Amino acid sequence: MTLDQILIFLPAAFLLGASPGANNLLAFTSATKAGWRPAAEGVIGRLAAWVVLVVLVSLGLDALLRTSEMAFVALKWLGVAYLLYLARQFWTADVAAEIEVPDASTLRRREFMTLMGNPKAYLLLTAFLPQFLNDAGPVTLQLFALGGLYLVAEGLAALLWVSAGAALGAGVLTPLRRRIVNRTSAGLLGGAAILLARSEKVAA
């Protein structure tokens, strides 16, 4: 992996990490309720999930997902079920009641489970990272190095969503605005679940 490859990889990784998705939506919404610090701590759960994924991909999980229909389908529907669960939680939230502030451990768990249940995250690692591998070096070590750089980019991108949510803040959310935010969040999570349900296993 050359310096030129790294200079190309980091901006691309940041843009991928900053793109709208289930985890970034969670980070944004969590920050409006809990504030910047708890939501930022919640991102640790997402980064922990990425560490797990990088290790699993380096050990060959990508080959299993590409060749085993059962493994891919099981993982996919687990992710769909969890996204629909979160969507229902947002949709049915009582906007008239006092805002429930989730603690950091809850936010970490939500971030972790959302990412681990999304096979597109696995496919991102198996399709994106290999483009920056150098044939001259050990593949496993390069995957770990690229994975580490991706974690940095993902973390910085997530903090942008957290900062945006914290800037909005719960204080300016009237019951009507809270309902709009919750229903929009539920709709986006439900849409993510539908897209995930329609995803297909890439050819081996």
Side-chain angles (χ1 to χ4, degrees), residues 80-92:
V80 169
Y82 189 69
L83 287 175
L84 290 176
Y85 165 77
L86 289 177
R88 183 179 182 279
Q89 293 292 100
F90 279 113
W91 188 271
T92 60

Side-chain angles (χ1 to χ4, degrees), residues 4 30 76 80 93-94 109 111 115 119 121 133 136 144 152 174 186 188 195:
D4 289 340
S30 298
K76 179 177 77 171
V80 169
D94 184 2
R109 184 170 62 252
E111 289 267 5
L115 187 62
L133 295 178
F144 278 122
V152 174
T174 63
L188 291 173
L195 291 175

Side-chain angles (χ1 to χ4, degrees), residues 135-167:
D135 293 337
V139 172
T140 301
L141 290 179
Q142 290 185 73
L143 282 174
F144 278 122
L146 286 170
L149 291 174
Y150 186 85
L151 285 178
V152 174
E154 176 80 19
L156 291 175
L159 290 180
L160 286 181
W161 284 85
V162 169
S163 298

Side-chain angles (χ1 to χ4, degrees), residues 15-67:
L15 290 175
L16 285 172
S19 62
N23 279 94
N24 283 334
L25 176 62
L26 278 178
F28 175 84
T29 306
S30 298
T32 64
K33 296 180 179 180
W36 191 90
R37 183 170 179 174
E41 291 181 8
V43 172
I44 295 174
R46 183 195 315 192
L47 299 183
W50 277 116
V51 170
V52 173
L53 294 188
V54 169
V55 172
L56 291 178
V57 167
S58 299
L59 295 177
L61 179 65
D62 59 321
L64 174 63
L65 291 177
R66 290 172 184 272
T67 58

